[in-house]
């Protein structure tokens, strides 16, 4: 009798486990079927390299590429973008004690007393920066910055603003967008734009999460759609910051 009961329990456990696995796989398939597939053109691909060679506006690329580094923490796309952009402009840099006597904006040094009042290091580490906070960080570091939410502009404004900004060596364009609409893994993100190809209407976004993705070529329509995604913290559409020295 004991052996019969043990066999019955084992059989029931097997049935329950099989049902659980089936439901899990079904759920995974359903989830995957609703996710956008990543069909992006990355700079490291042959097509991406060709777009780079053909791009009409590349003014900001070399300066940004020289100073951009990967975010140190998963939520530090804002600080990484700020440090890279500030170093690429002709603005007086601080001298971090660790690098003395060499001046450099770092993902840590941008947290000045003024910026800590906007949002503390601990809070940025917890939830990142929102669009207005991103702009204010730039201003407090000595740059000029204007931000605009995507629901306050259209694709034509985005195209015109990006091309004008990229054509000016004293300005930078920083995008705040969501990864999901473009088929990437993750949520809200911040990275600067470094180039524009008129023939394909694509911009080169210099992803600061370099451990995840290389720079990516997005059409203006794709970038705008990704910017229209709402930031769950502010409940506003994402958008752009135009920085100048």
């Amino acid at each position: 009798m004991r052996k019969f009961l043990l066999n019955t329990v084992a059989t029931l456990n097997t049935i329950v486990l099989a049902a659980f696995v089936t439901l899990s796989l079904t759920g995974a398939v359903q989830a995957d079927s609703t996710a956008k597939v990543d069909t992006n053109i990355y700079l490291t691909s042959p097509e991406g390299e060709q777009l780079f060679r053909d791009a009409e506006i590349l003014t900001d690329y070399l300066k940004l590429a020289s100073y951009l580094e990967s975010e140190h923490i998963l939520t530090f796309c804002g600080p990484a973008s700020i440090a890279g952009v500030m170093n690429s402009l002709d603005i007086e840099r601080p001298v971090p004690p660790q690098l003395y006597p060499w001046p450099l904006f770092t993902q840590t040094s941008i947290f000045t007393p003024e910026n800590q009042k906007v949002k503390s290091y601990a809070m940025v580490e917890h939830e990142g920066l929102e669009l207005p906070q991103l702009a204010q960080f730039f201003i407090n570091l000595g740059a000029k910055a204007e931000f605009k939410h995507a629901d306050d502009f259209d694709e034509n404004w985005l195209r015109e603003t990006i091309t004008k900004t990229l054509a000016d060596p004293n300005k930078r364009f920083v995008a705040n967008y969501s990864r999901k609409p473009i088929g990437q893994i993750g949520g809200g993100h911040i990275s600067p734009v470094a180039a524009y190809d008129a023939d394909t209407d694509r911009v080169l976004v210099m992803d600061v999460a370099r451990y995840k993705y290389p720079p990516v070529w997005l059409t203006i329509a794709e970038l705008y759609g990704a910017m229209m995604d709402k930031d769950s913290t502010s409940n506003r559409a994402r958008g752009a910051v135009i920085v100048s020295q």
Side-chain angles (χ1 to χ4, degrees):
M1 184 66 176
R2 176 182 173 82
K3 184 176 181 180
F4 171 78
L5 289 174
L6 288 174
N7 288 339
T8 302
V9 170
T11 300
L12 288 173
N13 286 340
T14 301
I15 292 171
V16 170
L17 179 61
F20 176 80
V21 170
T22 301
L23 288 172
S24 299
L25 290 174
T26 302
V29 170
Q30 289 176 343
D32 289 342
S33 65
T34 60
K36 182 175 172 61
V37 177
D38 186 346
T39 58
N40 294 310
I41 301 174
Y42 292 98
L43 180 60
T44 49
S45 69
E47 189 176 359
E49 291 177 6
Q50 187 60 51
L51 279 171
F52 184 81
R53 287 190 288 268
D54 295 340
E56 287 80 5
I57 307 178
L58 290 165
T59 308
D60 290 353
Y61 177 79
L62 289 177
K63 288 187 176 180
L64 281 171
S66 297
Y67 290 106
L68 279 181
E69 60 182 17
S70 282
E71 56 187 11
H72 292 170
I73 304 171
L74 292 176
T75 53
F76 262 40
C77 52
S81 295
I82 293 169
V85 166
M86 292 297 293
N87 285 322
S88 75
L89 292 169
D90 188 17
I91 295 176
E92 184 178 359
R93 305 171 188 167
V95 179
Q98 303 92 330
L99 302 178
Y100 180 85
W102 309 108
L104 191 73
F105 286 100
T106 68
Q107 294 177 48
T108 301
S109 71
I110 66 163
F111 285 92
T112 60
E114 294 79 11
N115 280 340
Q116 289 273 18
K117 293 177 183 178
V118 176
K119 198 164 196 175
S120 69
Y121 185 102
M123 286 303 296
V124 176
E125 185 177 18
H126 175 65
E127 63 184 21
L129 285 170
E130 298 169 33
L131 190 63
Q133 297 165 345
L134 179 68
Q136 192 60 50
F137 263 58
F138 277 115
I139 293 170
N140 289 347
L141 292 172
K144 298 176 183 177
E146 298 178 1
F147 72 90
K148 201 163 186 176
H149 292 280
D151 49 12
D152 290 330
F153 61 80
D154 58 17
E155 289 181 24
N156 290 329
W157 181 92
L158 181 59
R159 181 183 298 104
E160 181 179 356
T161 303
I162 286 179
T163 53
K164 284 184 177 179
T165 302
L166 293 182
D168 188 335
N170 298 318
K171 290 185 176 182
R172 302 288 182 267
F173 187 98
V174 182
N176 176 207
Y177 60 100
S178 172
R179 291 189 182 280
K180 293 180 181 178
I182 59 173
Q184 292 184 336
I185 297 171
H189 196 51
I190 297 168
S191 287
V193 171
Y196 175 73
D197 178 64
D199 292 338
T200 60
D201 200 30
R202 290 182 181 273
V203 296
L204 182 63
V205 181
M206 304 290 286
D207 200 324
V208 294
R210 302 171 81 169
Y211 52 90
K212 288 178 70 175
Y213 295 104
V216 61
W217 287 100
L218 299 177
T219 64
I220 290 292
E222 289 170 339
L223 181 58
Y224 179 70
M227 287 177 164
M228 280 295 289
D229 179 82
K230 282 190 176 182
D231 185 328
S232 58
T233 304
S234 66
N235 201 34
R236 284 293 308 272
R238 303 175 191 278
V241 177
I242 296 87
V243 185
S244 59
Q245 57 191 44

